[in-house]
Coordinates of all heavy atoms in Angstrom, one line a residue:
M34 N 100.5 75.6 114.6 CA 100.0 75.5 113.3 C 98.5 75.9 113.2 O 98.1 76.5 112.3 CB 100.1 74.0 113.0 CG 99.7 73.8 111.5 SD 100.5 74.7 110.3 CE 101.8 73.5 109.7
T35 N 97.8 75.7 114.3 CA 96.3 76.1 114.4 C 96.2 77.6 114.2 O 95.3 78.1 113.5 CB 95.7 75.6 115.6 OG1 96.0 74.2 115.7 CG2 94.1 75.9 115.6
I36 N 97.1 78.3 114.8 CA 97.0 79.8 114.7 C 97.2 80.3 113.2 O 96.5 81.2 112.8 CB 98.0 80.5 115.6 CG1 97.7 82.0 115.8 CG2 99.4 80.3 115.2 CD1 96.5 82.4 116.5
Y37 N 98.0 79.6 112.4 CA 98.1 80.0 111.1 C 96.9 79.7 110.2 O 96.5 80.5 109.4 CB 99.4 79.3 110.4 CG 100.7 79.6 111.1 CD1 101.4 78.7 111.8 CD2 101.1 81.0 111.1 CE1 102.7 79.0 112.4 CE2 102.3 81.3 111.7 CZ 103.1 80.3 112.3 OH 104.2 80.7 112.9
I38 N 96.3 78.6 110.5 CA 95.1 78.2 109.8 C 93.9 79.3 110.2 O 93.2 79.8 109.3 CB 94.6 76.9 110.0 CG1 95.7 75.9 109.6 CG2 93.3 76.5 109.5 CD1 95.5 74.4 110.0
A39 N 93.9 79.6 111.5 CA 92.9 80.5 112.0 C 93.1 81.9 111.3 O 92.1 82.6 110.9 CB 92.9 80.6 113.5
L40 N 94.3 82.4 111.3 CA 94.6 83.6 110.7 C 94.3 83.6 109.2 O 94.0 84.7 108.7 CB 96.2 84.1 110.9 CG 96.5 84.3 112.3 CD1 97.9 84.6 112.5 CD2 95.7 85.6 112.7
F41 N 94.6 82.6 108.5 CA 94.4 82.4 107.0 C 92.8 82.5 106.9 O 92.5 83.2 106.0 CB 94.8 81.0 106.6 CG 94.5 80.8 105.2 CD1 95.6 81.1 104.2 CD2 93.4 80.2 104.7 CE1 95.4 80.9 102.8 CE2 93.2 79.9 103.4 CZ 94.1 80.3 102.4
L42 N 92.0 81.8 107.6 CA 90.6 82.0 107.5 C 90.0 83.3 108.0 O 89.1 83.8 107.2 CB 89.9 80.8 108.2 CG 90.2 79.4 107.8 CD1 89.6 78.4 108.8 CD2 89.7 79.2 106.4
L43 N 90.6 83.9 108.9 CA 90.1 85.3 109.4 C 90.4 86.2 108.3 O 89.6 87.1 108.0 CB 90.8 85.5 110.7 CG 90.4 87.0 111.3 CD1 88.9 87.0 111.7 CD2 91.3 87.2 112.6
F44 N 91.7 86.2 107.7 CA 92.0 87.1 106.7 C 91.1 87.0 105.5 O 90.6 88.0 104.9 CB 93.5 87.0 106.3 CG 93.9 88.0 105.2 CD1 94.1 89.3 105.5 CD2 93.9 87.7 103.9 CE1 94.5 90.2 104.6 CE2 94.2 88.6 102.9 CZ 94.6 89.8 103.3
G45 N 90.7 85.8 105.2 CA 89.9 85.5 104.0 C 88.5 86.0 104.2 O 87.9 86.6 103.4
A46 N 88.0 85.8 105.5 CA 86.7 86.4 105.8 C 86.6 87.8 105.7 O 85.7 88.4 105.2 CB 86.2 85.9 107.3
C47 N 87.6 88.4 106.2 CA 87.8 90.0 106.1 C 87.9 90.4 104.7 O 87.2 91.4 104.3 CB 89.0 90.5 106.9 SG 88.8 90.3 108.8
F48 N 88.6 89.7 103.9 CA 88.7 90.0 102.4 C 87.3 89.8 101.7 O 87.0 90.7 101.0 CB 89.7 89.0 101.8 CG 89.9 89.2 100.4 CD1 90.7 90.2 99.8 CD2 89.2 88.4 99.4 CE1 90.8 90.3 98.5 CE2 89.3 88.6 98.1 CZ 90.2 89.4 97.6
G49 N 86.5 88.8 102.2 CA 85.2 88.7 101.7 C 84.3 89.8 102.0 O 83.5 90.2 101.2
L50 N 84.4 90.3 103.2 CA 83.5 91.4 103.7 C 83.8 92.7 102.9 O 82.9 93.4 102.5 CB 83.8 91.7 105.2 CG 83.0 90.8 106.2 CD1 83.6 91.0 107.6 CD2 81.6 91.0 106.1
V51 N 85.2 92.8 102.7 CA 85.6 94.1 102.0 C 85.2 94.1 100.5 O 84.8 95.0 99.9 CB 87.0 94.3 102.3 CG1 87.7 95.5 101.3 CG2 87.3 94.7 103.7
T52 N 85.3 92.9 99.9 CA 85.1 92.8 98.5 C 83.7 92.3 98.0 O 83.5 92.2 96.8 CB 86.2 91.7 97.8 OG1 85.9 90.5 98.5 CG2 87.5 92.2 98.1
F53 N 82.8 92.2 98.9 CA 81.5 91.8 98.6 C 80.8 92.6 97.5 O 80.3 92.1 96.5 CB 80.6 91.7 99.8 CG 79.1 91.2 99.5 CD1 78.9 89.8 99.0 CD2 78.2 92.1 99.3 CE1 77.7 89.5 98.8 CE2 76.8 91.7 99.0 CZ 76.5 90.4 98.7
S54 N 80.9 94.0 97.6 CA 80.3 94.8 96.6 C 80.9 94.9 95.2 O 80.4 95.3 94.3 CB 80.2 96.2 97.2 OG 81.5 96.7 97.4
R55 N 82.2 94.3 95.2 CA 82.9 94.2 93.9 C 83.3 92.8 93.5 O 84.2 92.5 92.9 CB 84.2 95.1 94.1 CG 83.9 96.5 94.3 CD 85.3 97.2 94.4 NE 85.1 98.7 94.6 CZ 85.0 99.6 93.7 NH1 85.1 99.2 92.3 NH2 84.8 100.8 94.0
R56 N 82.4 91.9 93.9 CA 82.7 90.5 93.7 C 82.7 90.2 92.2 O 83.2 89.1 91.7 CB 81.8 89.6 94.4 CG 80.3 89.7 94.1 CD 79.5 88.9 95.1 NE 78.1 89.0 94.8 CZ 77.2 89.9 95.1 NH1 77.6 90.9 95.8 NH2 76.0 89.8 94.7
H57 N 82.1 91.0 91.3 CA 82.1 90.7 89.8 C 83.5 90.8 89.2 O 83.7 90.3 88.3 CB 81.0 91.7 89.2 CG 81.4 93.1 89.4 ND1 81.2 93.8 90.4 CD2 82.2 94.0 88.5 CE1 81.6 95.0 90.4 NE2 82.2 95.2 89.2
L58 N 84.3 91.5 90.0 CA 85.7 91.5 89.5 C 86.6 90.4 89.8 O 87.7 90.4 89.3 CB 86.5 92.9 90.2 CG 85.8 94.2 89.9 CD1 86.5 95.3 90.6 CD2 85.9 94.5 88.3
F59 N 86.1 89.5 90.6 CA 86.9 88.2 90.9 C 86.3 87.0 90.2 O 86.5 85.9 90.6 CB 86.8 88.0 92.4 CG 87.4 89.2 93.2 CD1 86.6 90.2 93.6 CD2 88.7 89.2 93.4 CE1 87.1 91.2 94.3 CE2 89.2 90.3 94.1 CZ 88.6 91.3 94.6
S60 N 85.7 87.2 89.1 CA 85.1 86.1 88.3 C 86.1 85.8 87.1 O 87.3 86.0 87.4 CB 83.8 86.5 87.8 OG 83.9 87.6 86.8
E61 N 85.6 85.5 86.1 CA 86.5 85.0 84.9 C 86.9 86.2 84.1 O 87.1 86.1 82.9 CB 85.8 84.0 84.1 CG 85.4 82.8 84.8 CD 84.6 81.8 84.0 OE1 84.1 82.2 82.9 OE2 84.3 80.7 84.4
G62 N 87.1 87.4 84.7 CA 87.5 88.6 84.0 C 86.3 89.7 84.3 O 85.3 89.3 84.8
P63 N 86.8 90.8 84.2 CA 85.8 92.0 84.5 C 84.7 92.0 83.5 O 84.9 91.8 82.3 CB 86.6 93.2 84.4 CG 87.8 92.8 83.5 CD 88.1 91.4 83.7
K64 N 83.5 92.2 84.0 CA 82.4 92.4 83.2 C 81.4 93.2 83.8 O 81.6 93.7 85.0 CB 81.7 91.0 83.0 CG 81.3 90.3 84.4 CD 80.7 88.9 84.1 CE 80.3 88.4 85.5 NZ 80.0 87.1 85.6
E65 N 80.3 93.6 83.1 CA 79.3 94.4 83.7 C 78.6 93.8 84.9 O 78.4 92.5 84.9 CB 78.3 94.8 82.6 CG 79.0 95.7 81.5 CD 79.4 97.0 81.9 OE1 78.7 97.7 82.8 OE2 80.4 97.5 81.4
V66 N 78.2 94.5 85.8 CA 77.5 94.0 87.0 C 76.0 93.6 86.5 O 75.3 94.5 86.0 CB 77.4 95.0 88.1 CG1 76.7 94.4 89.3 CG2 78.8 95.3 88.6
E67 N 75.7 92.4 86.7 CA 74.4 91.9 86.3 C 73.7 91.3 87.5 O 73.6 90.1 87.7 CB 74.6 90.8 85.2 CG 75.1 91.3 84.0 CD 75.5 90.2 83.0 OE1 75.0 89.0 83.3 OE2 76.0 90.5 81.9
E68 N 73.3 92.1 88.5 CA 72.8 91.7 89.7 C 71.3 91.9 89.6 O 70.7 92.9 89.2 CB 73.3 92.4 90.9 CG 74.7 92.1 91.2 CD 75.2 92.8 92.5 OE1 74.3 93.1 93.3 OE2 76.4 93.0 92.6
S69 N 70.5 90.9 90.2 CA 69.1 91.1 90.5 C 68.9 91.7 91.8 O 69.9 91.6 92.6 CB 68.4 89.7 90.3 OG 68.8 88.9 91.3
P70 N 67.9 92.3 92.1 CA 67.7 93.0 93.4 C 67.9 92.1 94.6 O 68.4 92.4 95.6 CB 66.3 93.5 93.3 CG 66.0 93.5 92.0 CD 66.8 92.5 91.2
G71 N 67.7 90.7 94.4 CA 67.9 89.8 95.5 C 69.2 89.3 95.7 O 69.5 88.5 96.6
D72 N 70.2 89.7 94.9 CA 71.6 89.4 95.0 C 72.3 89.9 96.2 O 73.4 89.5 96.7 CB 72.4 89.7 93.8 CG 72.2 88.6 92.7 OD1 71.5 87.6 93.0 OD2 72.6 88.9 91.6
N73 N 71.8 90.9 96.8 CA 72.4 91.5 98.0 C 71.8 91.1 99.3 O 71.7 91.9 100.3 CB 72.3 93.1 97.8 CG 73.5 93.8 98.6 OD1 74.3 93.2 99.1 ND2 73.3 95.0 98.6
N74 N 71.5 89.9 99.4 CA 70.9 89.4 100.7 C 71.9 88.7 101.6 O 73.1 88.6 101.2 CB 69.7 88.5 100.4 CG 70.1 87.3 99.7 OD1 71.3 86.9 99.5 ND2 69.1 86.7 99.0
L75 N 71.5 88.3 102.8 CA 72.4 87.8 103.8 C 73.1 86.4 103.3 O 74.2 86.2 103.5 CB 71.7 87.5 105.1 CG 72.5 86.9 106.2 CD1 73.6 87.9 106.6 CD2 71.6 86.6 107.4
I76 N 72.2 85.6 102.6 CA 72.8 84.3 102.2 C 73.8 84.5 101.1 O 75.0 83.8 101.2 CB 71.7 83.5 101.6 CG1 70.6 83.1 102.7 CG2 72.2 82.2 101.0 CD1 69.4 82.5 102.3
S77 N 73.7 85.4 100.1 CA 74.7 85.6 99.3 C 76.0 86.2 99.9 O 77.1 85.9 99.5 CB 74.2 86.5 98.1 OG 74.0 87.7 98.5
R78 N 75.8 87.1 100.8 CA 77.1 87.7 101.5 C 77.7 86.7 102.3 O 79.0 86.6 102.2 CB 76.4 88.9 102.5 CG 77.6 89.6 103.1 CD 77.1 90.8 104.0 NE 76.4 91.7 103.1 CZ 77.0 92.8 102.7 NH1 78.3 93.0 102.8 NH2 76.3 93.7 102.0
V79 N 77.0 85.7 103.1 CA 77.6 84.7 103.8 C 78.3 83.7 102.9 O 79.5 83.3 103.1 CB 76.7 83.9 104.7 CG1 77.2 82.7 105.3 CG2 76.2 84.9 105.8
M80 N 77.8 83.4 101.7 CA 78.4 82.5 100.8 C 79.7 83.1 100.2 O 80.7 82.4 100.1 CB 77.4 82.2 99.7 CG 77.8 81.1 98.7 SD 78.1 79.6 99.7 CE 78.0 78.4 98.5
W81 N 79.6 84.4 99.9 CA 80.9 85.0 99.3 C 82.0 85.0 100.4 O 83.1 84.8 100.1 CB 80.5 86.4 98.9 CG 81.8 87.2 98.4 CD1 82.5 88.2 99.1 CD2 82.5 87.0 97.2 NE1 83.5 88.6 98.3 CE2 83.5 87.9 97.1 CE3 82.3 86.1 96.1 CZ2 84.4 88.0 96.1 CZ3 83.2 86.1 95.1 CH2 84.2 87.0 95.1
I82 N 81.5 85.3 101.7 CA 82.6 85.3 102.8 C 83.2 84.0 102.9 O 84.3 83.8 103.1 CB 82.0 85.8 104.1 CG1 81.7 87.4 103.8 CG2 82.9 85.6 105.3 CD1 80.9 88.0 105.0
L83 N 82.3 82.9 102.8 CA 82.9 81.6 103.0 C 83.7 81.2 101.9 O 84.9 80.6 102.1 CB 81.8 80.5 103.1 CG 81.0 80.5 104.4 CD1 79.7 79.6 104.4 CD2 81.9 80.2 105.5
I84 N 83.5 81.5 100.7 CA 84.3 81.1 99.5 C 85.7 82.0 99.7 O 86.7 81.4 99.5 CB 83.6 81.7 98.2 CG1 82.4 80.7 98.0 CG2 84.6 81.7 97.1 CD1 81.5 81.2 96.8
C85 N 85.6 83.2 100.1 CA 86.9 84.0 100.2 C 87.6 83.5 101.4 O 88.8 83.5 101.3 CB 86.6 85.5 100.4 SG 85.9 86.2 98.9
A86 N 87.0 83.1 102.4 CA 87.8 82.5 103.6 C 88.7 81.4 103.2 O 89.9 81.3 103.7 CB 86.8 82.1 104.6
F87 N 88.3 80.5 102.4 CA 89.0 79.4 101.9 C 89.9 79.6 100.6 O 90.9 79.0 100.4 CB 88.1 78.2 101.7 CG 87.5 77.7 103.0 CD1 86.2 78.1 103.3 CD2 88.3 77.0 103.9 CE1 85.7 77.6 104.4 CE2 87.7 76.4 105.0 CZ 86.4 76.8 105.3
L88 N 89.4 80.5 99.8 CA 90.1 80.7 98.5 C 90.7 82.1 98.2 O 90.9 82.5 97.2 CB 89.2 80.4 97.3 CG 88.6 78.9 97.4 CD1 87.5 78.8 96.2 CD2 89.7 78.0 97.3
W89 N 91.0 82.9 99.3 CA 91.3 84.3 99.2 C 92.6 84.4 98.3 O 92.8 85.4 97.6 CB 91.3 85.0 100.4 CG 92.5 84.6 101.4 CD1 92.3 83.8 102.5 CD2 93.9 85.1 101.4 NE1 93.5 83.6 103.0 CE2 94.5 84.4 102.5 CE3 94.5 85.9 100.6 CZ2 95.8 84.7 102.9 CZ3 95.9 86.1 100.9 CH2 96.5 85.5 101.9
P90 N 93.6 83.5 98.4 CA 94.8 83.6 97.5 C 94.4 83.7 96.0 O 95.0 84.4 95.2 CB 95.7 82.5 97.9 CG 95.3 82.2 99.3 CD 93.8 82.4 99.4
I91 N 93.5 82.8 95.6 CA 93.1 82.7 94.3 C 92.3 83.9 94.0 O 92.4 84.4 92.7 CB 92.3 81.4 94.1 CG1 93.3 80.2 94.3 CG2 91.7 81.3 92.7 CD1 92.5 78.8 94.3
M92 N 91.5 84.4 94.8 CA 90.8 85.6 94.5 C 91.5 86.7 94.4 O 91.3 87.7 93.5 CB 89.7 85.8 95.6 CG 88.6 84.7 95.8 SD 87.7 84.6 94.4 CE 86.3 83.9 95.0
V93 N 92.6 86.8 95.1 CA 93.6 88.1 95.0 C 94.1 87.9 93.5 O 94.3 89.0 92.8 CB 94.7 87.9 96.1 CG1 95.8 88.9 95.7 CG2 94.1 88.3 97.4
L94 N 94.6 86.7 93.1 CA 95.2 86.7 91.8 C 94.3 86.9 90.7 O 94.6 87.6 89.7 CB 95.7 85.2 91.6 CG 96.9 84.9 92.5 CD1 97.2 83.4 92.3 CD2 98.1 85.7 92.1
T95 N 93.0 86.5 90.8 CA 92.0 86.9 89.7 C 91.6 88.3 89.8 O 91.3 88.9 88.7 CB 90.6 86.0 90.0 OG1 90.1 86.2 91.2 CG2 90.9 84.5 89.7
G96 N 91.6 88.9 91.0 CA 91.4 90.4 91.1 C 92.5 91.1 90.5 O 92.3 92.2 89.8
L97 N 93.8 90.7 90.7 CA 94.8 91.4 89.9 C 94.7 91.2 88.5 O 95.1 92.1 87.7 CB 96.2 90.8 90.5 CG 96.5 91.1 91.9 CD1 97.7 90.4 92.3 CD2 96.7 92.7 92.0
N98 N 94.3 90.0 87.9 CA 94.1 89.9 86.6 C 93.1 90.8 86.0 O 93.2 91.4 85.0 CB 93.8 88.4 86.3 CG 93.6 88.1 84.8 OD1 94.5 88.6 84.0 ND2 92.6 87.5 84.5
S99 N 92.0 90.9 86.7 CA 90.9 91.9 86.4 C 91.4 93.3 86.3 O 91.0 94.1 85.4 CB 89.7 91.8 87.3 OG 89.1 90.5 87.2
L100 N 92.2 93.7 87.2 CA 92.8 95.0 87.4 C 93.6 95.2 86.2 O 93.7 96.2 85.5 CB 93.6 95.2 88.6 CG 94.3 96.6 88.8 CD1 93.1 97.6 89.0 CD2 95.1 96.5 90.0
R101 N 94.5 94.2 85.7 CA 95.3 94.3 84.5 C 94.5 94.6 83.3 O 94.8 95.4 82.4 CB 96.2 93.2 84.4 CG 97.2 93.2 83.2 CD 97.9 91.8 83.1 NE 97.0 90.6 82.9 CZ 96.6 90.4 81.7 NH1 96.9 91.0 80.6 NH2 95.7 89.3 81.5
I102 N 93.5 93.8 83.1 CA 92.6 93.8 82.0 C 91.9 95.2 81.9 O 91.8 95.8 80.8 CB 91.5 92.7 82.0 CG1 92.2 91.3 81.8 CG2 90.5 92.9 81.0 CD1 91.3 90.1 82.0
L103 N 91.4 95.6 83.1 CA 90.6 97.0 83.2 C 91.6 98.1 82.8 O 91.3 99.1 82.0 CB 89.9 97.2 84.4 CG 88.8 96.3 84.7 CD1 88.2 96.6 86.1 CD2 87.7 96.7 83.6
S104 N 92.8 98.0 83.3 CA 93.7 99.2 82.9 C 94.2 99.1 81.6 O 94.4 100.1 81.0 CB 95.0 99.0 83.9 OG 95.7 97.9 83.7
K105 N 94.3 97.9 81.0 CA 94.6 97.8 79.5 C 93.6 98.3 78.7 O 93.7 99.0 77.7 CB 95.0 96.4 79.2 CG 95.5 96.2 77.7 CD 95.8 94.8 77.5 CE 96.1 94.5 76.0 NZ 96.3 93.2 75.6
R106 N 92.4 97.9 79.1 CA 91.1 98.4 78.4 C 91.0 99.9 78.3 O 90.7 100.6 77.4 CB 89.8 97.8 78.9 CG 88.7 97.9 78.1 CD 87.5 97.2 78.7 NE 87.6 95.8 78.8 CZ 86.9 95.1 79.5 NH1 86.0 95.5 80.3 NH2 87.1 93.8 79.5
K107 N 91.3 100.5 79.6 CA 91.3 102.0 79.7 C 92.2 102.7 78.9 O 92.0 103.8 78.3 CB 91.4 102.3 81.2 CG 91.1 103.7 81.6 CD 91.0 104.0 83.0 CE 90.5 105.2 83.4 NZ 90.4 105.5 84.8
A108 N 93.5 102.0 78.9 CA 94.6 102.6 78.2 C 94.2 102.6 76.7 O 94.5 103.6 75.8 CB 95.8 101.9 78.4
D109 N 93.6 101.5 76.2 CA 93.2 101.3 74.7 C 92.2 102.3 74.3 O 92.1 102.9 73.4 CB 92.8 99.9 74.5 CG 93.9 98.9 74.4 OD1 95.1 99.3 74.3 OD2 93.5 97.7 74.5
E110 N 91.2 102.6 75.3 CA 90.1 103.5 75.0 C 90.6 105.0 75.0 O 90.2 105.7 74.1 CB 89.1 103.4 76.1 CG 88.2 102.2 76.1 CD 87.2 102.1 77.1 OE1 87.2 103.0 78.1 OE2 86.4 101.1 77.2
S111 N 91.6 105.3 75.8 CA 92.3 106.6 75.8 C 93.1 106.9 74.6 O 93.0 108.0 74.0 CB 93.1 106.9 77.0 OG 94.2 106.1 77.1
T112 N 93.7 105.8 74.0 CA 94.4 106.1 72.8 C 93.5 106.2 71.5 O 93.8 106.9 70.6 CB 95.4 105.0 72.5 OG1 94.7 103.7 72.5 CG2 96.5 104.9 73.6
H113 N 92.4 105.5 71.6 CA 91.4 105.6 70.5 C 90.7 106.9 70.4 O 90.4 107.4 69.4 CB 90.3 104.4 70.6 CG 91.0 103.1 70.2 ND1 91.7 102.8 69.1 CD2 91.1 102.0 70.9 CE1 92.1 101.6 69.1 NE2 91.7 101.0 70.2
T114 N 90.4 107.5 71.6 CA 89.8 108.8 71.6 C 90.8 109.9 71.2 O 90.3 111.0 70.7 CB 89.3 109.1 73.1 OG1 90.3 109.0 74.0 CG2 88.2 108.1 73.4
H115 N 92.0 109.8 71.5 CA 93.0 110.8 71.1 C 93.3 110.8 69.7 O 93.8 111.8 69.1 CB 94.2 110.7 72.0 CG 94.0 111.1 73.4 ND1 93.5 112.2 73.8 CD2 94.3 110.3 74.6 CE1 93.3 112.3 75.1 NE2 93.9 111.1 75.5
E116 N 93.1 109.7 69.0 CA 93.5 109.5 67.6 C 92.4 110.1 66.7 O 92.6 110.5 65.6 CB 93.6 108.0 67.2 CG 94.9 107.3 67.9 CD 95.0 105.9 67.5 OE1 94.2 105.4 66.8 OE2 96.0 105.2 68.0
S117 N 91.3 110.2 67.2 CA 90.1 110.7 66.3 C 90.2 112.1 66.1 O 90.6 112.9 66.7 CB 88.7 110.2 67.0 OG 88.7 108.8 67.1

């Protein structure tokens, strides 16, 4: 059982490392990036990795929701530009 927990946490940490630069997509929906210059420091990176290590299944679901919203928004924009 311990190996499953360790793999869960390891996968989550790797997920956090990969998604750190796009963490705005895993919030309450896609939005513009509003980072201050100090947001890309070691403490924020470690915090994001720790959050993802424990909550990566929820983060995957919110990322999929953001992807759905962005693709719908992009489709709506393309239909509005072709109608004009």
Side-chain angles (χ1 to χ4, degrees):
M34 184 57 99
T35 306
I36 190 74
Y37 297 117
I38 295 170
L40 288 174
F41 181 89
L42 295 174
L43 180 66
F44 181 81
C47 292
F48 180 81
L50 280 171
V51 171
T52 61
F53 178 75
S54 62
R55 298 183 180 263
R56 63 189 184 273
H57 61 280
L58 296 175
F59 299 93
S60 63
E61 298 173 356
K64 59 182 180 191
E65 296 294 323
V66 180
E67 298 172 5
E68 291 185 23
S69 64
D72 279 351
N73 202 8
N74 59 20
L75 181 63
I76 294 172
S77 63
R78 186 176 296 267
V79 169
M80 190 62 158
W81 178 252
I82 292 170
L83 287 174
I84 290 169
C85 287
F87 292 101
L88 300 175
W89 68 265
I91 295 170
M92 295 298 201
V93 168
L94 292 175
T95 58
L97 290 173
N98 183 48
S99 293
L100 181 66
R101 181 186 61 85
I102 291 169
L103 288 174
S104 63
K105 184 179 177 186
R106 190 180 297 165
K107 191 173 190 177
D109 288 345
E110 287 176 359
S111 66
T112 57
H113 290 305
T114 57
H115 292 307
E116 290 176 4
S117 298

